[in-house]
C-alpha cells in the first residue's frame, strides 16, 4: 500500500507545473531566467525555451539550467516564456533513475513602454529630382523608446514616404511629410521636387541664330514634354495607390 501511494505521489508531481512567474522589463533590458526546479531534477537533455512574442521578447541564449531574454519592443499585454523539460525519476524499488517525465515552467513577461520625449526628422528640408528616392532618418529619444512611426504627406502626388521610411518624389512642387510617433508626437520635413534635367538658362546672346524658328521648335517640344510628364505622374500615382 505504501509503494502504491509513493508511485501515485510521484505521478502527480511528474505532471505538475510551476505556476507562471511575472517578470517586468523595459526595452533594451536583458534578464536571465533560472527556474529553481531545474537543478533539483536529473534532466534528460537541455530544456526547450520558447517565446510567444519572439519579435518583442527575444530568447538570446540558453543553457541546461537557464535562459537569457531581451526586451526588444514594448506592447500591451504580456509575452509567455515557456520552458519545457524532460527529467528522470527515481524508482523507489530499485533505487535507479528509470522513469522519464516532463514538466514546464512559464513566465509572464511585461515590457513597459518608455515615454517618448522628442521626435525629429533630419534633415528638415530635402530637395529631390522627380523619380528620386531618399531614406528618411527619424530620431526618437530616448533611444530605447518605441521607434516606429506613421507617415503622411500633404500632397502624395508630389512626395510620400512608405512603411520602410523611404521617401519617393512623384511629381513637381512642394509637399510636407509628417512622422507621427506612437505617443502622438510629430515632426515634419519640407520636400521640394524639381524638374529633372530642366535647364533654365537660355542661349539668347548667340549671333547668327534664327531665334524665331528655335522658339517655335522649343514651344512644341515643351508641350510634348509636359504631356509625357503628366502621363508619367498619373502612372506613378496609380502605382502608389496599388502599393498602399
Amino acid at each position: 500500500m505504501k509503494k502504491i501511494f509513493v508511485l501515485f505521489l510521484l505521478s502527480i508531481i511528474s505532471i505538475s507545473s510551476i505556476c507562471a512567474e511575472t517578470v517586468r522589463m523595459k526595452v533594451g533590458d536583458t534578464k536571465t531566467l533560472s527556474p529553481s526546479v531545474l537543478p533539483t531534477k536529473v534532466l534528460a537533455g537541455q530544456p526547450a525555451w520558447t517565446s510567444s512574442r519572439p519579435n518583442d521578447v527575444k530568447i538570446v541564449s540558453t543553457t541546461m539550467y537557464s535562459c537569457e531574454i531581451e526586451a526588444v519592443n514594448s506592447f500591451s499585454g504580456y509575452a509567455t516564456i515557456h520552458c519545457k523539460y524532460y527529467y528522470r525519476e527515481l524508482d523507489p524499488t530499485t533505487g535507479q533513475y528509470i522513469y522519464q517525465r516532463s514538466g514546464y515552467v512559464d513566465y509572464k513577461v511585461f515590457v513597459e513602454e518608455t515615454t517618448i520625449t522628442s521626435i525629429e526628422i533630419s534633415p528638415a528640408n530635402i530637395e529631390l529630382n522627380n523619380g528620386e528616392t531618399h531614406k528618411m532618418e527619424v530620431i526618437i529619444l530616448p533611444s530605447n523608446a518605441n521607434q516606429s512611426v506613421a507617415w503622411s504627406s500633404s500632397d502624395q502626388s508630389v512626395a510620400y514616404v512608405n512603411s520602410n521610411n523611404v521617401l519617393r518624389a512623384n511629381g513637381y512642387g512642394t509637399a510636407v511629410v509628417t512622422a507621427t510617433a506612437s505617443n502622438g508626437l510629430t515632426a515634419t520635413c519640407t520636400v521640394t521636387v524639381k524638374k529633372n534635367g530642366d535647364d533654365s538658362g537660355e542661349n539668347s546672346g548667340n549671333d547668327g541664330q534664327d531665334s524665331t524658328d528655335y522658339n517655335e521648335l522649343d514651344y512644341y517640344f515643351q508641350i510634348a514634354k509636359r504631356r509625357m510628364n503628366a502621363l508619367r505622374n498619373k502612372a506613378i500615382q496609380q502605382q502608389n495607390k496599388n502599393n498602399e
Side-chain angles (χ1 to χ4, degrees):
M1 185 69 180
K2 184 176 180 181
K3 286 184 180 181
I4 295 175
F5 175 76
V6 171
L7 291 174
F8 175 74
L9 181 63
L10 288 174
S11 66
I12 294 177
I13 295 175
S14 67
I15 61 175
S16 64
S17 64
I18 304 301
C19 295
E21 300 181 35
T22 299
V23 178
R24 298 192 179 275
M25 305 174 70
K26 291 185 178 181
V27 175
D29 289 350
T30 59
K31 186 176 182 63
T32 300
L33 307 178
S34 300
S36 58
V37 66
L38 294 185
T40 66
K41 305 288 186 181
V42 179
L43 296 180
Q46 186 165 322
W49 295 82
T50 56
S51 170
S52 64
R53 301 180 65 108
N55 293 328
D56 300 317
V57 181
K58 180 173 64 174
I59 294 177
V60 179
S61 62
T62 61
T63 68
M64 183 68 79
Y65 297 106
S66 66
C67 171
E68 184 181 4
I69 61 174
E70 178 184 359
V72 180
N73 299 304
S74 59
F75 54 91
S76 60
Y78 62 89
T80 300
I81 302 297
H82 181 76
C83 172
K84 184 175 183 179
Y85 57 89
Y86 294 92
Y87 63 97
R88 291 180 296 160
E89 284 188 349
L90 185 67
D91 184 337
T93 303
T94 63
Q96 297 180 348
Y97 289 97
I98 60 171
Y99 298 120
Q100 181 166 308
R101 307 294 186 188
S102 66
Y104 66 89
V105 182
D106 279 343
Y107 292 85
K108 290 182 178 179
V109 181
F110 295 84
V111 181
E112 301 174 6
E113 179 147 8
T114 302
T115 302
I116 297 174
T117 58
S118 67
I119 177 173
E120 178 185 353
I121 300 175
S122 179
N125 295 279
I126 297 174
E127 288 190 357
L128 296 175
N129 290 322
N130 186 20
E132 289 184 335
T133 60
H134 174 80
K135 182 70 172 180
M136 301 295 286
E137 180 182 359
V138 183
I139 303 171
I140 294 179
L141 296 178
S143 59
N144 65 340
N146 189 336
Q147 298 294 307
S148 62
V149 296
W151 290 98
S152 61
S153 172
S154 63
D155 190 346
Q156 290 197 16
S157 66
V158 174
Y160 85 106
V161 184
N162 65 20
S163 58
N164 294 320
N165 295 356
V166 176
L167 169 68
R168 178 174 292 276
N170 292 331
Y172 307 124
T174 301
V176 177
V177 295
T178 302
T180 304
S182 60
N183 68 341
L185 288 180
T186 62
T188 60
C189 173
T190 301
V191 181
T192 302
V193 182
K194 304 177 295 182
K195 293 184 178 181
N196 190 12
D198 182 27
D199 268 339
S200 59
E202 301 248 355
N203 294 326
S204 57
N206 291 341
D207 294 333
Q209 289 188 349
D210 188 345
S211 60
T212 302
D213 293 340
Y214 175 79
N215 289 335
E216 185 177 0
L217 178 63
D218 183 65
Y219 171 75
Y220 289 108
F221 173 77
Q222 293 299 332
I223 290 178
K225 183 178 179 181
R226 281 195 292 270
R227 287 178 178 174
M228 291 298 296
N229 286 336
L231 291 173
R232 179 184 180 188
N233 289 336
K234 186 176 181 180
I236 291 175
Q237 291 174 25
Q238 184 62 44
Q239 182 179 358
N240 291 337
K241 289 180 180 180
N242 294 337
N243 291 336
E244 290 177 354

